[in-house]
Coordinates of all heavy atoms in Angstrom, one line a residue:
L1 N 51.1 61.3 30.0 CA 52.4 60.6 30.4 C 53.6 61.5 30.1 O 54.7 61.1 30.5 CB 52.5 59.3 29.7 CG 51.5 58.2 30.1 CD1 51.7 57.0 29.2 CD2 51.7 57.8 31.5
A2 N 53.4 62.6 29.4 CA 54.5 63.4 29.0 C 55.3 64.0 30.1 O 54.7 64.5 31.1 CB 54.0 64.5 28.0
L3 N 56.6 64.0 30.0 CA 57.5 64.6 31.0 C 58.6 65.3 30.2 O 58.9 64.8 29.1 CB 58.1 63.6 31.9 CG 57.2 63.0 33.0 CD1 57.9 61.9 33.7 CD2 56.8 64.1 34.0
P4 N 59.1 66.4 30.7 CA 60.2 67.1 29.9 C 61.4 66.2 29.8 O 61.8 65.5 30.7 CB 60.5 68.3 30.8 CG 59.5 68.4 31.8 CD 58.8 67.1 31.9
E5 N 62.0 66.1 28.6 CA 63.2 65.3 28.3 C 64.3 65.7 29.2 O 64.6 66.9 29.4 CB 63.5 65.6 26.9 CG 63.9 64.4 26.0 CD 63.5 63.0 26.3 OE1 62.3 62.7 26.2 OE2 64.3 62.2 26.6
G6 N 65.0 64.8 29.8 CA 66.2 65.0 30.5 C 66.0 65.6 31.9 O 67.0 66.0 32.6
R7 N 64.8 65.7 32.4 CA 64.5 66.3 33.7 C 64.1 65.2 34.7 O 63.7 64.1 34.3 CB 63.3 67.3 33.6 CG 63.5 68.5 32.7 CD 64.4 69.5 33.2 NE 64.1 70.0 34.6 CZ 63.3 71.0 34.8 NH1 62.6 71.6 33.9 NH2 63.0 71.3 36.1
H8 N 64.2 65.4 35.9 CA 63.8 64.6 37.0 C 64.5 63.2 37.0 O 63.8 62.2 37.2 CB 62.3 64.4 37.0 CG 61.5 65.6 36.7 ND1 61.7 66.8 37.3 CD2 60.6 65.8 35.7 CE1 60.8 67.7 36.8 NE2 60.2 67.1 35.8
P9 N 65.8 63.1 36.8 CA 66.4 61.8 36.8 C 66.2 60.9 38.0 O 66.0 59.7 37.9 CB 67.9 62.0 36.5 CG 68.1 63.4 36.9 CD 66.8 64.2 36.7
R10 N 66.3 61.5 39.2 CA 66.1 60.7 40.4 C 64.7 60.3 40.6 O 64.4 59.2 41.0 CB 66.6 61.5 41.6 CG 68.2 61.7 41.6 CD 68.7 62.4 42.8 NE 68.3 63.8 42.9 CZ 68.6 64.6 43.9 NH1 69.1 64.1 45.0 NH2 68.2 65.9 43.9
A11 N 63.7 61.2 40.3 CA 62.3 60.8 40.4 C 62.0 59.7 39.4 O 61.3 58.8 39.7 CB 61.4 62.0 40.1
R12 N 62.6 59.8 38.2 CA 62.3 58.7 37.2 C 62.9 57.4 37.7 O 62.2 56.3 37.5 CB 63.0 59.1 35.9 CG 62.3 60.2 35.1 CD 63.1 60.6 33.9 NE 62.6 61.8 33.3 CZ 61.8 61.9 32.2 NH1 61.4 60.8 31.6 NH2 61.5 63.0 31.7
A13 N 64.1 57.4 38.3 CA 64.6 56.2 38.8 C 63.8 55.6 39.9 O 63.5 54.4 40.0 CB 66.1 56.4 39.3
L14 N 63.3 56.5 40.8 CA 62.4 56.0 41.9 C 61.1 55.5 41.3 O 60.6 54.4 41.8 CB 62.1 57.2 42.8 CG 61.1 56.9 43.9 CD1 61.5 55.7 44.8 CD2 60.8 58.2 44.8
A15 N 60.5 56.1 40.3 CA 59.3 55.6 39.7 C 59.5 54.3 39.1 O 58.6 53.4 39.2 CB 58.8 56.6 38.7
A16 N 60.6 54.0 38.5 CA 60.9 52.7 37.9 C 61.0 51.7 39.0 O 60.5 50.6 38.8 CB 62.2 52.8 37.1
E17 N 61.6 52.0 40.1 CA 61.7 51.1 41.2 C 60.3 50.8 41.8 O 60.0 49.6 42.1 CB 62.6 51.8 42.3 CG 62.8 50.9 43.6 CD 63.6 51.7 44.6 OE1 64.5 52.4 44.2 OE2 63.2 51.6 45.8
L18 N 59.5 51.8 42.0 CA 58.2 51.6 42.5 C 57.3 50.7 41.6 O 56.6 49.9 42.1 CB 57.5 53.0 42.7 CG 58.1 53.9 43.7 CD1 57.4 55.3 43.6 CD2 58.0 53.4 45.1
A19 N 57.4 51.0 40.3 CA 56.6 50.2 39.3 C 57.1 48.8 39.2 O 56.4 47.8 39.0 CB 56.6 50.9 38.0
S20 N 58.5 48.6 39.2 CA 59.0 47.3 39.0 C 58.8 46.3 40.1 O 59.0 45.1 40.0 CB 60.5 47.4 38.7 OG 61.2 47.7 39.9
A21 N 58.3 46.8 41.3 CA 58.0 45.9 42.4 C 56.8 45.1 42.2 O 56.5 44.1 42.9 CB 57.9 46.7 43.7
G22 N 56.1 45.4 41.1 CA 54.9 44.5 40.7 C 53.6 44.9 41.4 O 53.6 45.9 42.2
G23 N 52.6 44.2 41.1 CA 51.3 44.4 41.7 C 50.4 45.3 40.9 O 49.2 45.6 41.3
G24 N 50.8 45.9 39.8 CA 50.0 46.8 39.0 C 49.9 48.2 39.5 O 50.6 48.6 40.4
P25 N 49.1 49.0 38.8 CA 49.0 50.4 39.1 C 48.6 50.7 40.6 O 49.2 51.6 41.2 CB 47.9 50.9 38.2 CG 47.9 49.9 37.0 CD 48.3 48.6 37.6
R26 N 47.7 50.0 41.1 CA 47.3 50.3 42.5 C 48.4 50.1 43.5 O 48.7 51.0 44.3 CB 46.1 49.4 42.9 CG 45.7 49.5 44.3 CD 45.0 50.7 44.8 NE 43.7 50.8 44.1 CZ 42.9 51.8 44.1 NH1 43.3 52.9 44.7 NH2 41.8 51.8 43.5
A27 N 49.2 49.1 43.3 CA 50.4 48.9 44.2 C 51.4 49.9 44.0 O 52.1 50.4 45.0 CB 51.0 47.5 43.9
T28 N 51.7 50.4 42.8 CA 52.6 51.4 42.5 C 52.2 52.7 43.2 O 53.0 53.4 43.8 CB 52.8 51.7 41.0 OG1 53.2 50.5 40.4 CG2 53.7 52.8 40.7
I29 N 50.9 53.0 43.1 CA 50.4 54.2 43.8 C 50.6 54.1 45.3 O 51.0 55.1 45.9 CB 48.9 54.4 43.4 CG1 48.7 54.8 41.9 CG2 48.2 55.5 44.3 CD1 47.3 54.7 41.4
E30 N 50.2 53.0 45.8 CA 50.3 52.8 47.3 C 51.8 52.9 47.8 O 52.1 53.4 48.8 CB 49.7 51.4 47.7 CG 48.2 51.4 47.6 CD 47.5 52.4 48.4 OE1 48.0 52.7 49.5 OE2 46.5 52.9 48.0
R31 N 52.7 52.4 47.0 CA 54.1 52.5 47.4 C 54.6 53.9 47.3 O 55.3 54.4 48.2 CB 55.0 51.6 46.4 CG 54.9 50.1 46.8 CD 56.0 49.3 46.0 NE 55.6 49.1 44.6 CZ 54.8 48.2 44.1 NH1 54.3 47.3 45.0 NH2 54.5 48.1 42.9
A32 N 54.2 54.7 46.3 CA 54.5 56.1 46.3 C 54.0 56.9 47.4 O 54.6 57.7 48.1 CB 54.1 56.7 44.9
L33 N 52.7 56.6 47.8 CA 52.1 57.3 48.9 C 52.7 56.9 50.2 O 52.9 57.8 51.1 CB 50.6 57.0 48.9 CG 49.7 57.6 47.8 CD1 48.3 57.1 47.9 CD2 49.8 59.1 47.8
A34 N 53.1 55.7 50.3 CA 53.8 55.2 51.6 C 55.1 55.9 51.7 O 55.5 56.3 52.8 CB 54.0 53.7 51.5
R35 N 55.8 56.1 50.6 CA 57.1 56.8 50.7 C 56.9 58.3 51.1 O 57.6 58.8 52.0 CB 57.8 56.8 49.3 CG 59.1 57.6 49.4 CD 59.8 57.6 48.0 NE 60.9 58.5 48.1 CZ 62.2 58.1 48.3 NH1 62.4 56.9 48.6 NH2 63.2 59.0 48.3
L36 N 55.9 58.9 50.6 CA 55.6 60.3 51.0 C 55.2 60.4 52.5 O 55.5 61.3 53.2 CB 54.5 60.9 50.1 CG 55.0 61.2 48.7 CD1 53.8 61.6 47.8 CD2 56.1 62.3 48.6
R37 N 54.4 59.4 52.9 CA 54.0 59.4 54.3 C 55.1 59.1 55.3 O 55.2 59.7 56.4 CB 52.9 58.4 54.5 CG 51.6 58.7 53.9 CD 50.5 57.7 54.3 NE 49.3 57.9 53.5 CZ 48.9 57.1 52.5 NH1 49.5 55.9 52.3 NH2 47.8 57.4 51.8
A38 N 56.0 58.2 55.0 CA 57.0 57.7 55.9 C 58.4 58.2 55.6 O 59.4 57.8 56.3 CB 57.0 56.2 56.0
G39 N 58.6 59.0 54.6 CA 59.9 59.4 54.1 C 60.6 60.6 54.7 O 61.5 61.2 54.2
G40 N 60.0 61.1 55.8 CA 60.6 62.2 56.5 C 60.2 63.6 55.9 O 61.0 64.5 56.0
Y41 N 59.1 63.6 55.2 CA 58.7 64.8 54.5 C 57.9 65.7 55.5 O 57.3 65.2 56.4 CB 57.8 64.5 53.3 CG 58.5 63.8 52.2 CD1 58.6 62.5 52.2 CD2 59.1 64.6 51.2 CE1 59.3 61.8 51.2 CE2 59.8 64.0 50.2 CZ 59.9 62.6 50.2 OH 60.6 62.0 49.2
E42 N 58.1 67.0 55.3 CA 57.4 68.0 56.2 C 56.6 69.0 55.4 O 57.0 69.5 54.4 CB 58.5 68.8 56.9 CG 58.0 70.0 57.7 CD 59.1 70.9 58.2 OE1 60.3 70.7 57.9 OE2 58.7 71.9 58.8
Y43 N 55.3 69.1 55.8 CA 54.4 70.1 55.2 C 54.7 71.4 55.8 O 54.7 71.6 57.1 CB 52.9 69.7 55.4 CG 52.0 70.6 54.7 CD1 51.6 70.3 53.4 CD2 51.6 71.8 55.2 CE1 50.7 71.1 52.7 CE2 50.7 72.7 54.5 CZ 50.3 72.3 53.3 OH 49.5 73.1 52.5
T44 N 55.0 72.4 55.0 CA 55.3 73.8 55.5 C 54.9 74.8 54.4 O 55.0 74.5 53.2 CB 56.8 73.9 55.8 OG1 57.0 75.3 56.2 CG2 57.7 73.6 54.6
L45 N 54.4 75.9 54.9 CA 54.1 77.0 54.0 C 55.3 77.9 53.8 O 55.2 78.9 53.0 CB 52.9 77.8 54.6 CG 51.6 77.1 54.7 CD1 50.5 78.0 55.4 CD2 51.1 76.6 53.4
A46 N 56.4 77.6 54.3 CA 57.7 78.3 54.1 C 58.8 77.4 53.7 O 59.8 77.2 54.5 CB 58.0 79.1 55.4
P47 N 58.7 76.7 52.6 CA 59.7 75.7 52.2 C 61.0 76.4 51.7 O 60.9 77.6 51.4 CB 59.0 75.0 51.0 CG 58.1 76.0 50.4 CD 57.6 76.8 51.6
P48 N 62.1 75.7 51.8 CA 63.3 76.3 51.2 C 63.2 76.5 49.7 O 62.4 75.8 49.1 CB 64.4 75.2 51.6 CG 63.6 74.0 51.8 CD 62.3 74.3 52.3
P49 N 63.9 77.4 49.2 CA 63.9 77.6 47.7 C 64.4 76.3 47.0 O 65.3 75.6 47.5 CB 64.8 78.8 47.5 CG 65.4 79.1 48.7 CD 64.9 78.3 49.8
L50 N 63.9 76.1 45.8 CA 64.3 75.0 44.9 C 64.9 75.6 43.7 O 64.6 76.7 43.3 CB 63.1 74.1 44.6 CG 62.3 73.5 45.8 CD1 61.0 72.9 45.3 CD2 63.2 72.5 46.5
G51 N 65.8 74.8 43.1 CA 66.6 75.2 41.9 C 66.1 74.7 40.6 O 64.9 74.7 40.3
A52 N 67.0 74.2 39.8 CA 66.7 73.8 38.4 C 65.8 72.6 38.3 O 65.1 72.5 37.3 CB 68.1 73.5 37.7
D53 N 65.8 71.7 39.2 CA 64.9 70.5 39.1 C 64.2 70.4 40.4 O 64.5 69.6 41.3 CB 65.7 69.3 38.9 CG 64.9 68.1 38.4 OD1 63.7 68.1 38.7 OD2 65.4 67.3 37.7
P54 N 63.1 71.2 40.6 CA 62.4 71.3 41.9 C 61.8 70.0 42.3 O 61.7 69.7 43.5 CB 61.3 72.3 41.6 CG 61.2 72.5 40.2 CD 62.5 72.1 39.6
V55 N 61.4 69.1 41.4 CA 60.8 67.8 41.8 C 61.8 67.0 42.5 O 61.6 66.4 43.6 CB 60.1 67.1 40.6 CG1 59.7 65.7 41.0 CG2 58.9 67.9 40.1
D56 N 63.0 66.8 41.8 CA 64.0 66.0 42.4 C 64.5 66.6 43.7 O 64.7 65.9 44.7 CB 65.2 65.8 41.5 CG 65.0 64.6 40.5 OD1 63.9 64.0 40.5 OD2 66.0 64.4 39.8
E57 N 64.6 67.9 43.8 CA 65.1 68.5 45.0 C 64.1 68.4 46.1 O 64.5 68.1 47.3 CB 65.4 70.0 44.7 CG 66.6 70.2 43.8 CD 66.8 71.6 43.4 OE1 66.4 72.6 44.1 OE2 67.3 71.8 42.3
F58 N 62.8 68.5 45.8 CA 61.8 68.3 46.9 C 61.9 66.8 47.4 O 61.9 66.6 48.6 CB 60.4 68.6 46.4 CG 59.3 68.1 47.3 CD1 59.1 68.7 48.5 CD2 58.5 67.1 46.9 CE1 58.1 68.3 49.3 CE2 57.5 66.6 47.7 CZ 57.3 67.2 48.9
L59 N 61.8 65.9 46.4 CA 61.7 64.5 46.8 C 63.0 63.9 47.5 O 62.8 63.1 48.4 CB 61.5 63.6 45.6 CG 60.1 63.6 45.0 CD1 60.1 62.8 43.6 CD2 59.1 63.0 45.9
F60 N 64.2 64.4 47.2 CA 65.4 63.8 47.7 C 66.2 64.7 48.6 O 67.1 64.2 49.3 CB 66.2 63.3 46.5 CG 65.5 62.3 45.7 CD1 64.8 62.6 44.5 CD2 65.4 60.9 46.1 CE1 64.2 61.7 43.8 CE2 64.7 60.0 45.4 CZ 64.1 60.3 44.2
D61 N 66.0 66.0 48.5 CA 66.9 66.9 49.2 C 66.2 67.7 50.4 O 66.4 67.4 51.5 CB 67.6 67.9 48.3 CG 68.4 67.2 47.2 OD1 69.0 66.1 47.5 OD2 68.5 67.8 46.1
T62 N 65.3 68.6 50.0 CA 64.7 69.4 51.1 C 63.6 68.6 51.8 O 63.4 68.9 53.0 CB 64.0 70.7 50.4 OG1 62.9 70.3 49.6 CG2 65.1 71.5 49.7
R63 N 62.8 67.8 51.1 CA 61.7 67.1 51.7 C 60.7 68.0 52.5 O 60.1 67.5 53.5 CB 62.2 65.9 52.6 CG 62.9 64.9 51.8 CD 63.4 63.8 52.6 NE 64.3 62.9 51.8 CZ 64.2 61.6 51.8 NH1 63.3 61.0 52.6 NH2 64.9 60.9 51.0
A64 N 60.6 69.2 52.1 CA 59.7 70.1 52.8 C 59.0 71.0 51.7 O 59.6 71.5 50.8 CB 60.5 71.1 53.7
G65 N 57.7 71.1 51.9 CA 56.9 71.9 50.9 C 55.4 71.9 51.3 O 55.0 71.4 52.3
F66 N 54.6 72.5 50.4 CA 53.2 72.6 50.6 C 52.5 71.8 49.5 O 53.2 71.1 48.7 CB 52.7 74.0 50.7 CG 53.2 74.9 49.7 CD1 52.6 75.1 48.4 CD2 54.3 75.7 49.9 CE1 53.1 75.9 47.5 CE2 54.8 76.6 49.0 CZ 54.2 76.7 47.8
C67 N 51.2 71.9 49.4 CA 50.4 71.0 48.6 C 50.9 70.9 47.1 O 50.9 69.8 46.6 CB 48.9 71.4 48.6 SG 48.6 73.1 48.3
E68 N 51.3 72.0 46.6 CA 51.7 72.0 45.2 C 53.0 71.2 45.0 O 53.2 70.5 44.0 CB 51.9 73.4 44.6 CG 50.6 74.1 44.5 CD 50.7 75.5 44.0 OE1 51.8 75.9 43.5 OE2 49.7 76.3 44.2
H69 N 53.9 71.2 46.0 CA 55.1 70.4 45.9 C 54.8 68.9 45.9 O 55.3 68.2 45.1 CB 56.0 70.7 47.1 CG 56.6 72.1 47.2 ND1 55.9 73.1 47.8 CD2 57.7 72.6 46.7 CE1 56.6 74.2 47.7 NE2 57.7 73.9 47.0
Y70 N 53.9 68.5 46.8 CA 53.5 67.1 46.9 C 52.7 66.7 45.6 O 53.0 65.6 45.1 CB 52.6 66.9 48.1 CG 53.4 66.9 49.4 CD1 53.6 68.1 50.1 CD2 53.9 65.8 49.9 CE1 54.3 68.2 51.2 CE2 54.6 65.8 51.1 CZ 54.8 67.1 51.8 OH 55.5 67.1 52.9
A71 N 51.8 67.5 45.1 CA 51.0 67.2 44.0 C 51.9 67.0 42.7 O 51.7 66.1 42.0 CB 49.9 68.2 43.7
S72 N 52.8 68.0 42.5 CA 53.6 67.9 41.3 C 54.6 66.7 41.4 O 54.8 66.0 40.4 CB 54.3 69.2 41.0 OG 55.2 69.5 42.1
A73 N 55.2 66.5 42.5 CA 56.1 65.4 42.7 C 55.4 64.1 42.4 O 55.9 63.2 41.8 CB 56.7 65.4 44.1
F74 N 54.2 63.9 43.0 CA 53.4 62.7 42.8 C 53.0 62.5 41.4 O 53.2 61.4 40.8 CB 52.1 62.7 43.7 CG 51.4 61.4 43.7 CD1 51.8 60.3 44.4 CD2 50.3 61.3 42.9 CE1 51.1 59.1 44.4 CE2 49.6 60.1 42.9 CZ 50.0 59.0 43.6
A75 N 52.7 63.6 40.7 CA 52.3 63.5 39.3 C 53.5 63.1 38.4 O 53.4 62.2 37.5 CB 51.7 64.8 38.8
V76 N 54.7 63.6 38.7 CA 55.9 63.2 38.0 C 56.2 61.7 38.2 O 56.5 61.0 37.3 CB 57.1 64.1 38.3 CG1 58.4 63.5 37.8 CG2 56.9 65.5 37.8
L77 N 56.1 61.3 39.5 CA 56.4 59.9 39.8 C 55.4 59.0 39.0 O 55.8 58.0 38.5 CB 56.2 59.6 41.3 CG 57.4 60.1 42.2 CD1 57.0 59.9 43.6 CD2 58.7 59.4 41.8
M78 N 54.1 59.3 39.0 CA 53.1 58.5 38.4 C 53.3 58.5 36.9 O 53.3 57.4 36.2 CB 51.7 58.9 38.7 CG 51.4 58.7 40.2 SD 51.5 57.0 40.8 CE 53.1 57.0 41.5
R79 N 53.6 59.6 36.3 CA 53.8 59.6 34.8 C 55.1 58.8 34.5 O 55.1 58.1 33.5 CB 54.0 61.1 34.3 CG 52.7 61.8 34.2 CD 52.8 63.2 33.7 NE 51.6 63.8 33.5 CZ 51.4 64.9 32.8 NH1 52.4 65.4 32.1 NH2 50.2 65.4 32.7
A80 N 56.1 59.0 35.3 CA 57.4 58.3 35.0 C 57.2 56.8 35.2 O 57.9 55.9 34.6 CB 58.5 58.8 35.9
A81 N 56.2 56.4 36.0 CA 55.9 55.0 36.2 C 54.9 54.4 35.2 O 54.5 53.3 35.2 CB 55.3 54.8 37.6
G82 N 54.5 55.3 34.2 CA 53.6 54.9 33.2 C 52.1 55.0 33.5 O 51.3 54.4 32.8
L83 N 51.8 55.8 34.5 CA 50.4 56.0 34.9 C 49.9 57.4 34.5 O 50.5 58.4 35.0 CB 50.2 55.7 36.4 CG 50.6 54.4 36.9 CD1 50.5 54.3 38.4 CD2 49.8 53.3 36.2
P84 N 48.9 57.5 33.7 CA 48.4 58.9 33.3 C 48.0 59.7 34.5 O 47.3 59.2 35.3 CB 47.2 58.6 32.4 CG 47.4 57.2 31.9 CD 48.1 56.5 33.0
T85 N 48.5 60.9 34.6 CA 48.3 61.7 35.8 C 48.1 63.2 35.4 O 48.8 63.6 34.5 CB 49.5 61.6 36.7 OG1 49.7 60.2 37.0 CG2 49.2 62.3 38.0
R86 N 47.3 63.9 36.1 CA 47.1 65.3 35.9 C 47.0 66.0 37.3 O 46.6 65.3 38.3 CB 45.8 65.7 35.2 CG 45.8 65.3 33.7 CD 44.6 65.7 33.0 NE 44.6 65.3 31.7 CZ 43.9 65.7 30.7 NH1 42.9 66.6 31.0 NH2 44.0 65.2 29.5
V87 N 47.4 67.2 37.3 CA 47.2 68.0 38.6 C 46.2 69.1 38.3 O 46.3 69.8 37.3 CB 48.6 68.7 39.0 CG1 48.4 69.6 40.2 CG2 49.6 67.6 39.3
V88 N 45.2 69.2 39.2 CA 44.2 70.2 39.0 C 44.3 71.1 40.2 O 44.4 70.6 41.4 CB 42.8 69.5 39.0 CG1 41.7 70.6 38.9 CG2 42.7 68.6 37.8
T89 N 44.3 72.4 40.0 CA 44.4 73.3 41.1 C 43.2 74.3 41.1 O 42.5 74.4 40.1 CB 45.7 74.1 41.1 OG1 45.7 74.9 39.9 CG2 46.9 73.2 41.1
G90 N 43.0 75.0 42.2 CA 42.0 76.0 42.2 C 41.6 76.3 43.7 O 42.2 75.8 44.6
Y91 N 40.6 77.1 43.8 CA 40.1 77.5 45.2 C 38.6 77.2 45.3 O 37.9 77.2 44.3 CB 40.3 79.0 45.4 CG 41.7 79.4 45.4 CD1 42.4 79.9 44.2 CD2 42.4 79.4 46.6 CE1 43.7 80.3 44.3 CE2 43.8 79.8 46.6 CZ 44.4 80.2 45.5 OH 45.7 80.6 45.5
Q92 N 38.2 76.9 46.5 CA 36.8 76.6 46.8 C 36.2 77.8 47.5 O 36.7 78.2 48.6 CB 36.6 75.4 47.6 CG 35.2 75.2 48.0 CD 35.0 74.0 49.0 OE1 36.0 73.3 49.3 NE2 33.8 73.8 49.4
G93 N 35.2 78.4 46.9 CA 34.4 79.4 47.5 C 35.1 80.5 48.2 O 36.2 80.9 47.8
G94 N 34.6 81.1 49.2 CA 35.1 82.3 49.9 C 34.0 83.3 50.1 O 32.9 83.1 49.6
E95 N 34.3 84.2 50.9 CA 33.3 85.2 51.2 C 33.9 86.6 50.9 O 35.0 86.8 51.0 CB 32.9 85.2 52.7 CG 32.2 84.0 53.1 CD 31.7 83.9 54.5 OE1 31.5 85.0 55.1 OE2 31.5 82.9 55.0

């Protein structure tokens, strides 16, 4: 559940809104996923540069990124909503 102190204020506010709508953890997750699906986000391998608070900037400003942008933003939202979350990365196979 740990998040850096003083970081991601807009994501924290969104997470509080998502969690306060009720329905428990599953409903909070579904609301967050629905926002990512319908919020005008674009998957791109050439996203704009992000600054001091990349999670807030991705979620509310650029809305463009690749898998790591989505995964880290979702993890921050879930942690801020009180749901334990981890991000696991890696590669599968290859020749």
